[in-house]
Amino acid sequence: MARWRGVAGALLLLTLTGCGPDADVARPAGVPVITQADEDLLARAEQIMLRDCMARRGFRYQVLPEHPVPDYRQFPYVIDDPAWAARNGFGTALKRRLAKLSAASPNKAYFRQLPRERRVKALAAANGAVPEGLSATAPSGITAHRSDEGCTSELERELYGDLRRWFEISTVTRELPQMWRQRVAADPRFRQAQARWARCLRAAGFPYDTPAELHAALAGDRPGPARSEIPAASAEAACAASSGFGATAGELDGRHAAAVRARYRREVEDKARIQYAALPKAREIVRGG
């Protein structure tokens, strides 16, 4: 997930999370590969910088873990990890835990208890008074606007250098995973592989055509580990392997991701270079923070 920062983003989302690095597709020589660990380091540094900036302006912000539910994973096409499925089913309990932690965030609690006037000032401190100064158009055609003032812009300017370029790059690259996953889902090879998976699943006693249908029908509705999900999730993962659906989805994901990134090569490569250049400073900030 690229990190989103709009009006109220820093205090209402309350954790600067990423959509994942771009390291799963081969890069041209000279373009650095940014790993998930690099993304996490940068996000941690951003939170520390946000905390310190907000403190200078008279507000509190608490640095939170990047991955508060370590076993949580997203499977964009099909659950293809049998061991994970055997532990977590569809992951419904993990999603609930993540939502509960988000709702109970100390930053959200702090923001909610502020008097209205202080709350307005806190949002302005984090994001600037009005969403003006920065603008960029995403591949979908939607134009994003944000203030070039406030702590979010201040920390990005300090960490990444050219704030305007960083905002443009972030706005574009944020939408790329959704773009290539839509292409994957529309690919005839994906549909053929999914049909084979569905036949396998029916043979295992689960008459559903897609993972989404399976999850909608059988996801548990009780707190704690969803034991009722485990047989279906295990069948989903087993059929993903035996039908070739998991392998096909992975291959198509890489192929369509490469095509989308090639279309937006300048933004993708500039983002990697800017992030790579920011890593030494981020390490210093995290060590000191």
Side-chain angles (χ1 to χ4, degrees):
M1 255 182 115
R3 291 183 287 279
W4 173 83
R5 291 188 186 81
V7 174
L11 288 179
L12 294 184
L13 292 187
L14 301 164
T15 174
L16 309 176
T17 58
C19 289
D22 297 329
D24 52 335
V25 174
R27 302 294 191 87
V31 178
V33 170
I34 301 300
T35 67
Q36 185 62 59
D38 294 334
E39 293 272 359
D40 291 345
L41 173 69
L42 291 167
R44 184 77 172 177
E46 289 178 358
Q47 284 207 77
I48 292 169
M49 296 171 79
L50 177 61
R51 178 199 67 192
D52 294 347
C53 179
M54 291 297 287
R56 290 193 298 271
R57 300 183 184 210
F59 298 98
R60 293 205 310 268
Y61 178 83
Q62 183 172 324
V63 176
L64 301 176
E66 294 303 317
H67 304 287
V69 182
D71 209 20
Y72 176 73
R73 288 177 59 187
Q74 291 182 312
F75 296 88
Y77 308 111
V78 62
I79 295 175
D80 57 1
D81 184 333
W84 189 92
R87 290 194 309 273
N88 302 301
F90 301 138
T92 304
L94 299 179
K95 292 176 186 177
R96 285 202 195 94
R97 185 179 171 198
L98 199 61
K100 186 176 180 180
L101 288 172
S102 176
S105 162
N107 293 317
K108 287 183 178 178
Y110 169 72
F111 178 79
R112 283 194 297 264
Q113 61 83 37
L114 290 173
R116 185 180 182 281
E117 184 178 347
R118 287 278 291 166
R119 194 180 308 166
V120 171
K121 290 181 178 179
L123 291 177
N127 301 297
V130 291
E132 296 176 356
L134 298 173
S135 65
T137 301
S140 62
I142 296 173
T143 299
H145 300 275
R146 203 189 74 195
S147 174
D148 57 358
E149 299 178 347
C151 287
T152 299
S153 288
E154 179 180 311
L155 72 86
E156 289 183 352
R157 188 181 289 110
E158 182 178 348
L159 191 59
Y160 300 118
D162 186 340
L163 176 62
R164 194 170 305 280
R165 180 59 180 156
W166 177 250
F167 184 73
E168 292 169 352
I169 289 168
S170 300
T171 300
V172 170
T173 58
R174 184 176 301 123
E175 288 192 352
L176 300 190
Q178 180 182 359
M179 289 178 64
W180 76 66
R181 287 168 186 166
Q182 288 174 343
R183 294 187 182 191
V184 169
D187 193 303
R189 290 164 293 177
F190 179 88
R191 294 177 178 176
Q192 292 164 6
Q194 186 170 250
R196 294 195 303 270
W197 171 88
R199 288 194 292 271
C200 172
L201 201 68
R202 286 192 185 91
F206 301 98
Y208 302 98
D209 292 330
T210 68
E213 289 181 9
L214 176 68
H215 297 183
L218 300 180
D221 58 0
R222 296 180 180 179
R227 301 296 180 192
S228 62
E229 295 179 359
I230 289 176
S234 295
E236 175 180 350
C239 286
S242 63
S243 68
F245 183 30
T248 298
E251 177 189 351
L252 293 175
D253 183 87
R255 184 170 301 178
H256 286 288
V260 168
R261 285 177 173 142
R263 182 178 174 184
Y264 296 95
R265 174 167 285 128
R266 183 182 174 190
E267 289 82 2
V268 169
E269 294 182 3
D270 282 358
K271 180 182 178 183
R273 292 188 180 102
I274 290 172
Q275 287 181 308
Y276 185 77
L279 289 174
K281 186 172 187 62
R283 292 189 188 99
E284 180 182 347
I285 290 167
V286 170
R287 280 197 299 265

PDB file of all heavy atoms in Angstrom, residues 218-253:
ATOM      1  N   LEU A 218     -18.251 -17.914   3.702  1.00  0.00           N
ATOM      2  CA  LEU A 218     -17.806 -18.723   4.828  1.00  0.00           C
ATOM      3  C   LEU A 218     -16.937 -17.996   5.843  1.00  0.00           C
ATOM      4  O   LEU A 218     -16.486 -18.619   6.813  1.00  0.00           O
ATOM      5  CB  LEU A 218     -17.036 -19.949   4.308  1.00  0.00           C
ATOM      6  CG  LEU A 218     -17.828 -20.887   3.391  1.00  0.00           C
ATOM      7  CD1 LEU A 218     -16.955 -22.047   2.942  1.00  0.00           C
ATOM      8  CD2 LEU A 218     -19.083 -21.398   4.087  1.00  0.00           C
ATOM      9  N   ALA A 219     -16.684 -16.711   5.661  1.00  0.00           N
ATOM     10  CA  ALA A 219     -15.868 -15.986   6.642  1.00  0.00           C
ATOM     11  C   ALA A 219     -16.546 -16.014   8.003  1.00  0.00           C
ATOM     12  O   ALA A 219     -17.764 -15.837   8.114  1.00  0.00           O
ATOM     13  CB  ALA A 219     -15.656 -14.544   6.195  1.00  0.00           C
ATOM     14  N   GLY A 220     -15.760 -16.256   9.041  1.00  0.00           N
ATOM     15  CA  GLY A 220     -16.306 -16.349  10.392  1.00  0.00           C
ATOM     16  C   GLY A 220     -16.784 -15.010  10.896  1.00  0.00           C
ATOM     17  O   GLY A 220     -16.320 -13.957  10.469  1.00  0.00           O
ATOM     18  N   ASP A 221     -17.762 -15.038  11.807  1.00  0.00           N
ATOM     19  CA  ASP A 221     -18.305 -13.795  12.355  1.00  0.00           C
ATOM     20  C   ASP A 221     -18.099 -13.703  13.863  1.00  0.00           C
ATOM     21  O   ASP A 221     -18.764 -12.937  14.544  1.00  0.00           O
ATOM     22  CB  ASP A 221     -19.798 -13.664  12.031  1.00  0.00           C
ATOM     23  CG  ASP A 221     -20.615 -14.840  12.570  1.00  0.00           C
ATOM     24  OD1 ASP A 221     -20.026 -15.747  13.183  1.00  0.00           O
ATOM     25  OD2 ASP A 221     -21.847 -14.819  12.368  1.00  0.00           O
ATOM     26  N   ARG A 222     -17.168 -14.491  14.385  1.00  0.00           N
ATOM     27  CA  ARG A 222     -16.894 -14.444  15.816  1.00  0.00           C
ATOM     28  C   ARG A 222     -15.475 -13.954  16.056  1.00  0.00           C
ATOM     29  O   ARG A 222     -14.588 -14.176  15.239  1.00  0.00           O
ATOM     30  CB  ARG A 222     -17.065 -15.835  16.440  1.00  0.00           C
ATOM     31  CG  ARG A 222     -18.500 -16.360  16.353  1.00  0.00           C
ATOM     32  CD  ARG A 222     -18.587 -17.735  16.993  1.00  0.00           C
ATOM     33  NE  ARG A 222     -19.945 -18.254  16.929  1.00  0.00           N
ATOM     34  CZ  ARG A 222     -20.295 -19.453  17.402  1.00  0.00           C
ATOM     35  NH1 ARG A 222     -19.377 -20.220  17.968  1.00  0.00           N
ATOM     36  NH2 ARG A 222     -21.541 -19.865  17.323  1.00  0.00           N
ATOM     37  N   PRO A 223     -15.247 -13.292  17.219  1.00  0.00           N
ATOM     38  CA  PRO A 223     -13.882 -12.872  17.532  1.00  0.00           C
ATOM     39  C   PRO A 223     -12.973 -14.069  17.776  1.00  0.00           C
ATOM     40  O   PRO A 223     -13.433 -15.165  18.049  1.00  0.00           O
ATOM     41  CB  PRO A 223     -14.041 -12.025  18.794  1.00  0.00           C
ATOM     42  CG  PRO A 223     -15.469 -12.075  19.176  1.00  0.00           C
ATOM     43  CD  PRO A 223     -16.219 -12.913  18.194  1.00  0.00           C
ATOM     44  N   GLY A 224     -11.669 -13.807  17.680  1.00  0.00           N
ATOM     45  CA  GLY A 224     -10.699 -14.870  17.909  1.00  0.00           C
ATOM     46  C   GLY A 224     -10.447 -15.657  16.641  1.00  0.00           C
ATOM     47  O   GLY A 224     -11.011 -15.374  15.586  1.00  0.00           O
ATOM     48  N   PRO A 225      -9.568 -16.680  16.710  1.00  0.00           N
ATOM     49  CA  PRO A 225      -9.248 -17.484  15.534  1.00  0.00           C
ATOM     50  C   PRO A 225     -10.509 -18.099  14.934  1.00  0.00           C
ATOM     51  O   PRO A 225     -11.305 -18.723  15.636  1.00  0.00           O
ATOM     52  CB  PRO A 225      -8.304 -18.561  16.077  1.00  0.00           C
ATOM     53  CG  PRO A 225      -7.750 -17.970  17.328  1.00  0.00           C
ATOM     54  CD  PRO A 225      -8.833 -17.110  17.899  1.00  0.00           C
ATOM     55  N   ALA A 226     -10.701 -17.914  13.640  1.00  0.00           N
ATOM     56  CA  ALA A 226     -11.905 -18.401  12.973  1.00  0.00           C
ATOM     57  C   ALA A 226     -11.691 -19.844  12.542  1.00  0.00           C
ATOM     58  O   ALA A 226     -11.340 -20.123  11.395  1.00  0.00           O
ATOM     59  CB  ALA A 226     -12.241 -17.504  11.786  1.00  0.00           C
ATOM     60  N   ARG A 227     -11.898 -20.772  13.489  1.00  0.00           N
ATOM     61  CA  ARG A 227     -11.658 -22.186  13.193  1.00  0.00           C
ATOM     62  C   ARG A 227     -12.519 -22.670  12.032  1.00  0.00           C
ATOM     63  O   ARG A 227     -12.119 -23.538  11.264  1.00  0.00           O
ATOM     64  CB  ARG A 227     -11.939 -23.030  14.438  1.00  0.00           C
ATOM     65  CG  ARG A 227     -11.085 -22.657  15.649  1.00  0.00           C
ATOM     66  CD  ARG A 227      -9.620 -22.899  15.396  1.00  0.00           C
ATOM     67  NE  ARG A 227      -8.801 -22.550  16.553  1.00  0.00           N
ATOM     68  CZ  ARG A 227      -7.481 -22.456  16.529  1.00  0.00           C
ATOM     69  NH1 ARG A 227      -6.836 -22.664  15.390  1.00  0.00           N
ATOM     70  NH2 ARG A 227      -6.809 -22.137  17.609  1.00  0.00           N
ATOM     71  N   SER A 228     -13.721 -22.099  11.910  1.00  0.00           N
ATOM     72  CA  SER A 228     -14.613 -22.544  10.847  1.00  0.00           C
ATOM     73  C   SER A 228     -14.070 -22.198   9.464  1.00  0.00           C
ATOM     74  O   SER A 228     -14.474 -22.803   8.466  1.00  0.00           O
ATOM     75  CB  SER A 228     -15.994 -21.906  11.027  1.00  0.00           C
ATOM     76  OG  SER A 228     -15.902 -20.489  10.937  1.00  0.00           O
ATOM     77  N   GLU A 229     -13.162 -21.234   9.385  1.00  0.00           N
ATOM     78  CA  GLU A 229     -12.609 -20.841   8.093  1.00  0.00           C
ATOM     79  C   GLU A 229     -11.490 -21.764   7.622  1.00  0.00           C
ATOM     80  O   GLU A 229     -11.191 -21.812   6.429  1.00  0.00           O
ATOM     81  CB  GLU A 229     -12.037 -19.420   8.173  1.00  0.00           C
ATOM     82  CG  GLU A 229     -13.053 -18.336   8.425  1.00  0.00           C
ATOM     83  CD  GLU A 229     -12.392 -16.972   8.525  1.00  0.00           C
ATOM     84  OE1 GLU A 229     -11.156 -16.891   8.418  1.00  0.00           O
ATOM     85  OE2 GLU A 229     -13.114 -15.984   8.708  1.00  0.00           O
ATOM     86  N   ILE A 230     -10.859 -22.447   8.546  1.00  0.00           N
ATOM     87  CA  ILE A 230      -9.614 -23.148   8.216  1.00  0.00           C
ATOM     88  C   ILE A 230      -9.800 -24.242   7.168  1.00  0.00           C
ATOM     89  O   ILE A 230      -9.000 -24.330   6.218  1.00  0.00           O
ATOM     90  CB  ILE A 230      -8.948 -23.675   9.498  1.00  0.00           C
ATOM     91  CG1 ILE A 230      -8.394 -22.481  10.285  1.00  0.00           C
ATOM     92  CG2 ILE A 230      -7.836 -24.678   9.170  1.00  0.00           C
ATOM     93  CD1 ILE A 230      -7.784 -22.834  11.620  1.00  0.00           C
ATOM     94  N   PRO A 231     -10.839 -25.110   7.254  1.00  0.00           N
ATOM     95  CA  PRO A 231     -10.978 -26.122   6.195  1.00  0.00           C
ATOM     96  C   PRO A 231     -11.144 -25.511   4.803  1.00  0.00           C
ATOM     97  O   PRO A 231     -10.516 -25.973   3.843  1.00  0.00           O
ATOM     98  CB  PRO A 231     -12.237 -26.895   6.621  1.00  0.00           C
ATOM     99  CG  PRO A 231     -12.318 -26.696   8.093  1.00  0.00           C
ATOM    100  CD  PRO A 231     -11.823 -25.300   8.337  1.00  0.00           C
ATOM    101  N   ALA A 232     -11.967 -24.464   4.695  1.00  0.00           N
ATOM    102  CA  ALA A 232     -12.175 -23.836   3.386  1.00  0.00           C
ATOM    103  C   ALA A 232     -10.921 -23.135   2.905  1.00  0.00           C
ATOM    104  O   ALA A 232     -10.555 -23.215   1.729  1.00  0.00           O
ATOM    105  CB  ALA A 232     -13.350 -22.858   3.462  1.00  0.00           C
ATOM    106  N   ALA A 233     -10.242 -22.424   3.824  1.00  0.00           N
ATOM    107  CA  ALA A 233      -9.017 -21.720   3.431  1.00  0.00           C
ATOM    108  C   ALA A 233      -7.930 -22.718   3.038  1.00  0.00           C
ATOM    109  O   ALA A 233      -7.167 -22.475   2.096  1.00  0.00           O
ATOM    110  CB  ALA A 233      -8.538 -20.840   4.583  1.00  0.00           C
ATOM    111  N   SER A 234      -7.850 -23.828   3.738  1.00  0.00           N
ATOM    112  CA  SER A 234      -6.855 -24.853   3.396  1.00  0.00           C
ATOM    113  C   SER A 234      -7.154 -25.444   2.026  1.00  0.00           C
ATOM    114  O   SER A 234      -6.230 -25.705   1.231  1.00  0.00           O
ATOM    115  CB  SER A 234      -6.840 -25.947   4.465  1.00  0.00           C
ATOM    116  OG  SER A 234      -6.403 -25.421   5.710  1.00  0.00           O
ATOM    117  N   ALA A 235      -8.436 -25.659   1.730  1.00  0.00           N
ATOM    118  CA  ALA A 235      -8.802 -26.153   0.407  1.00  0.00           C
ATOM    119  C   ALA A 235      -8.471 -25.107  -0.656  1.00  0.00           C
ATOM    120  O   ALA A 235      -7.994 -25.445  -1.750  1.00  0.00           O
ATOM    121  CB  ALA A 235     -10.293 -26.489   0.369  1.00  0.00           C
ATOM    122  N   GLU A 236      -8.721 -23.835  -0.347  1.00  0.00           N
ATOM    123  CA  GLU A 236      -8.386 -22.754  -1.277  1.00  0.00           C
ATOM    124  C   GLU A 236      -6.902 -22.782  -1.624  1.00  0.00           C
ATOM    125  O   GLU A 236      -6.521 -22.683  -2.797  1.00  0.00           O
ATOM    126  CB  GLU A 236      -8.757 -21.406  -0.660  1.00  0.00           C
ATOM    127  CG  GLU A 236      -8.341 -20.212  -1.507  1.00  0.00           C
ATOM    128  CD  GLU A 236      -8.704 -18.870  -0.879  1.00  0.00           C
ATOM    129  OE1 GLU A 236      -9.447 -18.852   0.114  1.00  0.00           O
ATOM    130  OE2 GLU A 236      -8.238 -17.835  -1.391  1.00  0.00           O
ATOM    131  N   ALA A 237      -6.056 -22.911  -0.603  1.00  0.00           N
ATOM    132  CA  ALA A 237      -4.611 -22.902  -0.827  1.00  0.00           C
ATOM    133  C   ALA A 237      -4.151 -24.154  -1.554  1.00  0.00           C
ATOM    134  O   ALA A 237      -3.298 -24.089  -2.452  1.00  0.00           O
ATOM    135  CB  ALA A 237      -3.894 -22.759   0.504  1.00  0.00           C
ATOM    136  N   ALA A 238      -4.709 -25.304  -1.184  1.00  0.00           N
ATOM    137  CA  ALA A 238      -4.322 -26.549  -1.850  1.00  0.00           C
ATOM    138  C   ALA A 238      -4.703 -26.520  -3.318  1.00  0.00           C
ATOM    139  O   ALA A 238      -3.916 -26.923  -4.194  1.00  0.00           O
ATOM    140  CB  ALA A 238      -4.975 -27.742  -1.144  1.00  0.00           C
ATOM    141  N   CYS A 239      -5.897 -26.028  -3.610  1.00  0.00           N
ATOM    142  CA  CYS A 239      -6.334 -25.961  -5.009  1.00  0.00           C
ATOM    143  C   CYS A 239      -5.569 -24.888  -5.785  1.00  0.00           C
ATOM    144  O   CYS A 239      -5.377 -25.017  -7.000  1.00  0.00           O
ATOM    145  CB  CYS A 239      -7.837 -25.691  -5.062  1.00  0.00           C
ATOM    146  SG  CYS A 239      -8.853 -27.120  -4.618  1.00  0.00           S
ATOM    147  N   ALA A 240      -5.131 -23.845  -5.095  1.00  0.00           N
ATOM    148  CA  ALA A 240      -4.314 -22.837  -5.771  1.00  0.00           C
ATOM    149  C   ALA A 240      -3.042 -23.468  -6.309  1.00  0.00           C
ATOM    150  O   ALA A 240      -2.559 -23.099  -7.387  1.00  0.00           O
ATOM    151  CB  ALA A 240      -3.982 -21.702  -4.812  1.00  0.00           C
ATOM    152  N   ALA A 241      -2.498 -24.445  -5.564  1.00  0.00           N
ATOM    153  CA  ALA A 241      -1.284 -25.135  -6.002  1.00  0.00           C
ATOM    154  C   ALA A 241      -1.586 -26.181  -7.069  1.00  0.00           C
ATOM    155  O   ALA A 241      -0.971 -26.194  -8.142  1.00  0.00           O
ATOM    156  CB  ALA A 241      -0.599 -25.776  -4.807  1.00  0.00           C
ATOM    157  N   SER A 242      -2.544 -27.055  -6.802  1.00  0.00           N
ATOM    158  CA  SER A 242      -2.780 -28.180  -7.710  1.00  0.00           C
ATOM    159  C   SER A 242      -3.366 -27.750  -9.050  1.00  0.00           C
ATOM    160  O   SER A 242      -3.111 -28.388 -10.076  1.00  0.00           O
ATOM    161  CB  SER A 242      -3.700 -29.205  -7.040  1.00  0.00           C
ATOM    162  OG  SER A 242      -4.979 -28.640  -6.779  1.00  0.00           O
ATOM    163  N   SER A 243      -4.143 -26.661  -9.069  1.00  0.00           N
ATOM    164  CA  SER A 243      -4.742 -26.187 -10.320  1.00  0.00           C
ATOM    165  C   SER A 243      -3.808 -25.275 -11.104  1.00  0.00           C
ATOM    166  O   SER A 243      -4.063 -24.965 -12.271  1.00  0.00           O
ATOM    167  CB  SER A 243      -6.042 -25.424 -10.014  1.00  0.00           C
ATOM    168  OG  SER A 243      -5.750 -24.205  -9.341  1.00  0.00           O
ATOM    169  N   GLY A 244      -2.756 -24.802 -10.451  1.00  0.00           N
ATOM    170  CA  GLY A 244      -1.854 -23.850 -11.083  1.00  0.00           C
ATOM    171  C   GLY A 244      -2.339 -22.414 -11.010  1.00  0.00           C
ATOM    172  O   GLY A 244      -1.703 -21.500 -11.557  1.00  0.00           O
ATOM    173  N   PHE A 245      -3.457 -22.190 -10.308  1.00  0.00           N
ATOM    174  CA  PHE A 245      -4.014 -20.837 -10.225  1.00  0.00           C
ATOM    175  C   PHE A 245      -3.052 -19.884  -9.526  1.00  0.00           C
ATOM    176  O   PHE A 245      -2.828 -18.762  -9.974  1.00  0.00           O
ATOM    177  CB  PHE A 245      -5.357 -20.893  -9.493  1.00  0.00           C
ATOM    178  CG  PHE A 245      -6.080 -19.576  -9.401  1.00  0.00           C
ATOM    179  CD1 PHE A 245      -5.945 -18.594 -10.378  1.00  0.00           C
ATOM    180  CD2 PHE A 245      -6.933 -19.318  -8.325  1.00  0.00           C
ATOM    181  CE1 PHE A 245      -6.630 -17.390 -10.289  1.00  0.00           C
ATOM    182  CE2 PHE A 245      -7.619 -18.112  -8.226  1.00  0.00           C
ATOM    183  CZ  PHE A 245      -7.466 -17.150  -9.210  1.00  0.00           C
ATOM    184  N   GLY A 246      -2.460 -20.343  -8.418  1.00  0.00           N
ATOM    185  CA  GLY A 246      -1.531 -19.482  -7.690  1.00  0.00           C
ATOM    186  C   GLY A 246      -0.329 -19.100  -8.540  1.00  0.00           C
ATOM    187  O   GLY A 246       0.083 -17.930  -8.577  1.00  0.00           O
ATOM    188  N   ALA A 247       0.247 -20.105  -9.227  1.00  0.00           N
ATOM    189  CA  ALA A 247       1.416 -19.836 -10.068  1.00  0.00           C
ATOM    190  C   ALA A 247       1.067 -18.915 -11.227  1.00  0.00           C
ATOM    191  O   ALA A 247       1.826 -17.999 -11.565  1.00  0.00           O
ATOM    192  CB  ALA A 247       1.994 -21.157 -10.579  1.00  0.00           C
ATOM    193  N   THR A 248      -0.087 -19.154 -11.856  1.00  0.00           N
ATOM    194  CA  THR A 248      -0.511 -18.314 -12.974  1.00  0.00           C
ATOM    195  C   THR A 248      -0.751 -16.883 -12.523  1.00  0.00           C
ATOM    196  O   THR A 248      -0.322 -15.925 -13.188  1.00  0.00           O
ATOM    197  CB  THR A 248      -1.785 -18.882 -13.612  1.00  0.00           C
ATOM    198  OG1 THR A 248      -1.517 -20.190 -14.123  1.00  0.00           O
ATOM    199  CG2 THR A 248      -2.273 -17.983 -14.747  1.00  0.00           C
ATOM    200  N   ALA A 249      -1.426 -16.721 -11.387  1.00  0.00           N
ATOM    201  CA  ALA A 249      -1.684 -15.379 -10.873  1.00  0.00           C
ATOM    202  C   ALA A 249      -0.379 -14.652 -10.570  1.00  0.00           C
ATOM    203  O   ALA A 249      -0.229 -13.463 -10.878  1.00  0.00           O
ATOM    204  CB  ALA A 249      -2.558 -15.452  -9.620  1.00  0.00           C
ATOM    205  N   GLY A 250       0.587 -15.370  -9.989  1.00  0.00           N
ATOM    206  CA  GLY A 250       1.875 -14.756  -9.686  1.00  0.00           C
ATOM    207  C   GLY A 250       2.620 -14.349 -10.941  1.00  0.00           C
ATOM    208  O   GLY A 250       3.213 -13.258 -11.004  1.00  0.00           O
ATOM    209  N   GLU A 251       2.587 -15.214 -11.954  1.00  0.00           N
ATOM    210  CA  GLU A 251       3.277 -14.898 -13.213  1.00  0.00           C
ATOM    211  C   GLU A 251       2.634 -13.687 -13.892  1.00  0.00           C
ATOM    212  O   GLU A 251       3.326 -12.780 -14.357  1.00  0.00           O
ATOM    213  CB  GLU A 251       3.222 -16.102 -14.148  1.00  0.00           C
ATOM    214  CG  GLU A 251       3.851 -15.855 -15.514  1.00  0.00           C
ATOM    215  CD  GLU A 251       3.608 -16.981 -16.498  1.00  0.00           C
ATOM    216  OE1 GLU A 251       3.084 -18.041 -16.069  1.00  0.00           O
ATOM    217  OE2 GLU A 251       3.916 -16.795 -17.680  1.00  0.00           O
ATOM    218  N   LEU A 252       1.305 -13.677 -13.929  1.00  0.00           N
ATOM    219  CA  LEU A 252       0.605 -12.560 -14.572  1.00  0.00           C
ATOM    220  C   LEU A 252       0.786 -11.271 -13.789  1.00  0.00           C
ATOM    221  O   LEU A 252       0.881 -10.185 -14.378  1.00  0.00           O
ATOM    222  CB  LEU A 252      -0.882 -12.890 -14.720  1.00  0.00           C
ATOM    223  CG  LEU A 252      -1.223 -14.016 -15.690  1.00  0.00           C
ATOM    224  CD1 LEU A 252      -2.715 -14.326 -15.644  1.00  0.00           C
ATOM    225  CD2 LEU A 252      -0.793 -13.656 -17.113  1.00  0.00           C
ATOM    226  N   ASP A 253       0.828 -11.373 -12.469  1.00  0.00           N
ATOM    227  CA  ASP A 253       1.059 -10.187 -11.649  1.00  0.00           C
ATOM    228  C   ASP A 253       2.406  -9.557 -12.013  1.00  0.00           C
ATOM    229  O   ASP A 253       2.496  -8.342 -12.211  1.00  0.00           O
ATOM    230  CB  ASP A 253       1.027 -10.564 -10.169  1.00  0.00           C
ATOM    231  CG  ASP A 253       1.189  -9.355  -9.258  1.00  0.00           C
ATOM    232  OD1 ASP A 253       0.181  -8.707  -8.933  1.00  0.00           O
ATOM    233  OD2 ASP A 253       2.340  -9.070  -8.859  1.00  0.00           O
TER     234      ASP A 253
END
